[in-house]
Amino acid sequence: MTVSSPIMLGLIGSLIAGSMTAVGATPVLFGRVPSRAIRDLSLGFAAGVMLSASFFSLIVPALDAAEIRYGNAVTPAGIVCIAILLGMGAVALLNNRLPHEHFRTGREGPESVSLRRVWLFIIAITIHNFPEGLAVGVGFGSGGINGGLPLAIGIGLQNMPEGLAVAVSLLGEGYSRRRSWTIAALTGMVEPVGGMLGAGIITVSEPLLPWGLAFAAGAMLYVISHEIIPETHRRGHQDKATLGLSVGLVLMLFLDVSLG
Ligand SMILES: [Zn+2]
């Protein structure tokens, strides 16, 4: 396998994007934690990038790919709608089914409620990192360097505030600096797995392309609405969160159109 093969590109691209989670979490290693307002602003930015990426890097290319194949507009619209709902449903199901309880063994009392919430947040971040990796992989697999680069940059950027949010939450629950950072870094390592799978599937089976792209978009949209935006609005920093979202949204749009 050469370095320029789509699967290799997908793997490298999603590995770099996923590693940005660890980079973003680095301040906790030095005990430096940005203010809650700054974290809500940057997590809002992550939501904006993801929102934009869902539409401009996943849903629009999914519609284009399906239109080339089916030659009309109704079938592609139907396929993309169904795949988005499947993606949202899959994450909802995972969110409800995954056992979180065992993470709080040894902890009892009022602490356990907030610790459980922190772990739900971490699981949600980990789960949605898979479709993000999938998206980067599919981007490289279907469009080569130009198809994958804007997504890899955008996803990498929004992984930084996500990694920081995870590490800071754990630090707040009494985990050591090193452990908080390590767990945050691990949530990003789901991305290269998704990236290789995404690039692999698209290389092997083109009819799956619109389904895969729209499914990944649905999974991301669920996490944005269900975890990320509520998380940024819990401490009264809605204005900053929305400002961050606006900047992330237009930045990703610009990246996608100018580099894609
Ligand atoms: Zn994300």
Side-chain angles (χ1 to χ4, degrees):
M1 208 184 295
T2 60
V3 188
S4 57
S5 81
I7 296 178
M8 209 58 195
L9 277 177
L11 175 65
I12 296 168
S14 54
L15 184 67
I16 293 172
S19 306
M20 297 313 277
T21 312
V23 174
T26 304
V28 301
L29 275 181
F30 305 100
R32 290 183 176 273
V33 176
S35 72
R36 182 78 207 190
I38 296 290
R39 280 184 278 137
D40 284 343
L41 178 94
S42 62
L43 206 55
F45 169 84
V49 169
M50 287 165 66
L51 207 52
S52 210
S54 306
F55 282 89
F56 297 105
S57 311
L58 295 170
I59 294 175
V60 171
L63 287 166
D64 290 344
E67 268 173 40
I68 291 169
R69 191 167 178 83
Y70 298 100
N72 62 57
V74 179
T75 316
I79 287 176
V80 167
C81 286
I82 293 168
I84 289 173
L85 292 176
L86 285 176
M88 297 185 88
V91 182
L93 209 67
L94 272 173
N95 242 352
N96 294 333
R97 287 289 167 84
L98 275 180
H100 326 106
E101 278 77 7
H102 64 271
F103 288 119
R104 62 184 170 98
T105 40
R107 292 241 191 173
E108 231 42 83
E111 267 186 324
S112 61
V113 176
S114 77
L115 188 64
R116 186 181 151 84
R117 208 193 53 72
V118 165
W119 273 104
L120 276 171
F121 178 67
I122 293 168
I123 289 166
I125 291 288
T126 311
I127 290 172
H128 100 289
N129 275 339
F130 186 74
E132 281 183 5
L134 205 67
V136 173
V138 166
F140 281 111
S142 59
I145 293 265
N146 285 345
L149 196 60
L151 261 172
I153 294 174
I155 296 295
L157 275 177
Q158 60 86 46
N159 273 335
M160 295 173 71
E162 285 176 3
L164 183 65
V166 167
V168 167
S169 317
L170 286 166
L171 205 62
E173 292 299 326
Y175 284 76
S176 72
R177 291 174 185 181
R178 192 180 278 246
R179 259 195 108 183
S180 302
W181 181 84
T182 308
I183 294 170
L186 283 176
T187 65
M189 286 306 103
V190 185
E191 292 206 2
V193 181
M196 228 169 80
L197 196 76
I201 289 174
I202 293 319
T203 313
V204 174
S205 170
E206 224 198 293
L208 280 175
L209 182 61
W211 288 96
L213 288 166
F215 183 92
M220 277 168 70
L221 288 169
Y222 180 90
V223 177
I224 299 166
S225 165
H226 203 74
E227 305 288 341
I228 311 231
I229 291 178
E231 178 69 20
T232 62
H233 284 228
R234 282 195 308 115
R235 314 260 169 128
H237 302 132
Q238 295 90 328
D239 290 346
K240 292 194 175 65
T242 304
L243 176 70
L245 187 140
S246 328
V247 174
L249 192 114
V250 295
L251 182 82
M252 186 64 216
L253 192 158
F254 190 82
L255 275 177
D256 190 77
V257 176
S258 58
L259 296 178

